[in-house]
Amino acid sequence: MSKTKKVLLVEDSSGEAKGICTRLSEISEFTINATWIDTCDKALKVCKKEDLIDLIIVDLHYKKESQLSQEIENGEDFIIQIRKCFKSPPPIVVYSMINQPVIIDLLVNSIGVDGYIIKGRKSLDELAFALNLIFIGGQYISKEVRQIMDANKDALDISRMDRAILRKLFKGAQIKQLPELLKNDGFTACGQATIENRIRDLKDYFNAKTTLQLVAIAKEKKIFIV
């Protein structure tokens, strides 16, 4: 295994990026060759040209002014694009202040990122530790992230079912087909009445008058992955 690792850092704050690069240079187990990119659009172009990236570190939130005229507005969209574009994408570590349970669940359990660390007082040391683990084939989901997921388990279960319903509707499934389709995916409380109530609640939440409009809004908001 090569001891030199090429890391792509996607971060719009120059101060944050400098601190991350400095800490990565101090890792003794590996020599980190870090490239800093400040927008997701530019980062995706680099990824398409470079086939030797060993790991990507990405923030999720970017300042609006830095994303003007950018096609990829946030880190979640960037990660989805990376997963779509490459048969064998490099490991991806989320390093962000974003701690919303639904976003964490989407990235950890649906997309399957290789690491998720919430920025904080000791998070740079945690990031360095995570990279060492991931480079030898592991995954690192921080203790803080796991605690957030555990504390919101019931709500996240509902969110997963909602996303599954919307995804299947987007792909052309009829509402009457959903109970069997969801059951095949491992969902238990998925009777016809339950599903119709969930769809009704989702329409109210997103202010959608029709199911077609609901699916269109959900797709635009990246509620599910196509």
Side-chain angles (χ1 to χ4, degrees), residues 189-202:
C190 53
Q192 189 71 45
T194 299
I195 291 171
E196 290 176 358
N197 287 335
R198 291 306 311 150
I199 292 173
R200 190 179 303 113
D201 290 343
L202 287 167

Side-chain angles (χ1 to χ4, degrees), residues 78-125:
F78 171 72
I79 293 168
I80 291 170
Q81 290 298 319
I82 291 292
R83 294 291 199 217
K84 282 183 178 179
C85 290
F86 302 95
K87 291 182 179 179
S88 299
I92 297 174
V93 176
V94 174
Y95 184 67
S96 178
M97 293 185 69
I98 301 296
N99 60 1
Q100 284 94 328
V102 172
I103 293 177
I104 289 174
D105 180 62
L106 174 69
L107 292 168
V108 173
N109 290 320
S110 295
I111 297 177
V113 295
D114 301 272
Y116 199 121
I117 299 166
I118 297 173
K119 292 179 181 180
R121 190 162 56 91
K122 296 183 179 180
S123 59
L124 282 176
D125 291 336

Side-chain angles (χ1 to χ4, degrees), residues 60-78:
L60 297 180
H61 179 263
Y62 294 82
K63 299 181 183 71
K64 288 184 178 180
E65 58 268 25
S66 69
Q67 289 302 96
L68 292 176
S69 302
Q70 300 295 321
E71 293 183 7
I72 306 176
E73 297 180 354
N74 54 55
E76 301 103 289
D77 290 351
F78 171 72

Side-chain angles (χ1 to χ4, degrees), residues 155-173:
L156 291 174
D157 285 340
I158 295 172
S159 298
R160 291 190 194 107
M161 185 171 175
D162 288 344
R163 289 203 300 270
I165 289 171
L166 292 166
R167 187 184 301 114
K168 293 183 186 305
L169 289 172
F170 173 79
K171 291 185 175 181

Side-chain angles (χ1 to χ4, degrees), residues 56 60-61 78 157-158 180 217 219-221:
I56 298 172
L60 297 180
H61 179 263
F78 171 72
D157 285 340
I158 295 172
E180 184 177 354
I217 293 171
K219 182 178 182 295
E220 181 181 356
K221 292 181 177 294

